[in-house]
């Protein structure tokens, strides 16, 4: 990479920002309105995820040290994609147990994603350009998250206006958002493996 940004690194990161917010922005509404969850349950699920993340973070950090942040983030996105895929099968009866599993599996992925996406810059951007590169990344990450939330809202609204039907199937809109989010993250994982990780790194980086 030469210059303030690497297009492959940004594309990889924006894939996460977009599909994460495409799905997750409306998940809490589904849990409260359709799955019968309480704020207490959501808090407990969040605490469970946080505890798991604390436990796995040291291992994930060592994995990133050995293999680099790009590969570590790809692993994290794989966990996130699996957790999103689980919620494609959620409903009023299964929403709470699946959400608890989702919270734990997502937490494992977030052990590398949350800090790793920014740290990938150190692998692909020259030291003299990193301050500017971080500014560009953070600005575009916000736009990607906004676009994902907006797109998810449009899809959800269309499904609800159609009487909770999608291509003739009776579904909850959040199931569709979860499925699309999972597929989008899997596409991002493949992009990371076959495009990003083939991009030349800064000398001395893994």
């Amino acid at each position: 990479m030469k210059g303030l940004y690497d297009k492959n690194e940004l594309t990889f990161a924006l894939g996460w920002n977009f599909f994460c917010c495409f799905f997750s922005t409306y998940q809490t509404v589904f849990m409260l309105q359709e799955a019968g969850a309480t704020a207490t349950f959501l808090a407990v699920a969040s605490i469970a995820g946080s505890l798991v993340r604390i436990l796995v973070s040291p291992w994930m950090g060592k994995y990133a040290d050995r293999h680099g942040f790009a590969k570590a983030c790809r692993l994290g996105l794989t966990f996130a994609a699996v957790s999103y895929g689980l919620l494609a099968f959620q409903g009023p009866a299964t929403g709470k147990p699946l959400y608890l599993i989702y919270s734990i599996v997502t937490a494992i992925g977030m052990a590398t994603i949350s800090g790793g996406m920014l740290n990938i810059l150190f692998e692909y951007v020259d030291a003299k350009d990193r301050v500017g590169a971080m500014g560009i990344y953070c600005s575009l990450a916000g736009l990607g998250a906004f676009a994902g939330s907006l797109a998810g809202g449009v899809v959800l609204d269309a499904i609800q206006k159609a009487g909770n039907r999608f291509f003739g199937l009776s579904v909850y809109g959040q199931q569709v958002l979860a499925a699309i989010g999972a597929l989008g993250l899997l596409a991002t994982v493949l992009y990371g493996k076959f495009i990003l990780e083939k991009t030349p790194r800064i000398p001395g980086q893994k």
Side-chain angles (χ1 to χ4, degrees), residues 15-195:
W16 158 248
N17 295 130
F18 181 90
F19 288 109
C20 170
C21 291
F22 179 90
F23 152 75
S24 63
T25 301
Y26 308 98
Q27 180 60 36
T28 299
V29 177
F30 177 87
M31 294 303 300
L32 294 173
Q33 294 185 354
E34 304 292 347
T38 63
T40 299
F41 171 81
L42 295 178
V44 170
S46 178
I47 291 170
S50 296
L51 292 174
V52 170
R53 181 171 170 178
I54 290 170
L55 292 174
V56 302
S57 287
W59 182 87
M60 287 295 200
K62 292 177 182 177
Y63 183 88
D65 287 339
R66 289 196 302 268
H67 302 287
F69 286 108
K71 191 169 184 177
C73 282
R74 180 161 60 82
L75 176 62
L77 288 180
T78 302
F79 278 103
V82 169
S83 71
Y84 287 20
L86 286 174
L87 291 190
F89 300 96
Q90 65 187 328
T94 59
K96 287 190 282 188
L98 285 180
Y99 185 81
L100 182 59
I101 298 171
Y102 152 83
S103 298
I104 292 171
V105 177
T106 297
I108 297 173
M110 290 303 295
T112 62
I113 294 170
S114 55
M117 282 296 177
L118 190 58
N119 288 335
I120 293 176
L121 290 171
F122 294 103
E123 297 180 353
Y124 293 97
V125 179
D126 292 318
K128 62 184 178 60
D129 294 321
R130 286 172 185 165
V131 173
M134 286 182 182
I136 292 172
Y137 166 78
C138 291
S139 297
L140 292 180
L143 290 175
F146 173 78
S149 297
L150 183 62
V154 170
V155 173
L156 182 60
D157 183 62
I159 292 172
Q160 290 177 338
K161 286 181 177 178
N164 282 335
R165 300 193 70 83
F166 185 73
F167 289 108
L169 299 174
S170 179
V171 296
Y172 288 97
Q174 192 61 25
Q175 291 177 305
V176 177
L177 296 191
I180 295 175
L183 292 174
L185 289 188
L186 286 176
T188 305
V189 168
L190 293 175
Y191 185 91
K193 179 175 179 59
F194 294 108
I195 304 297

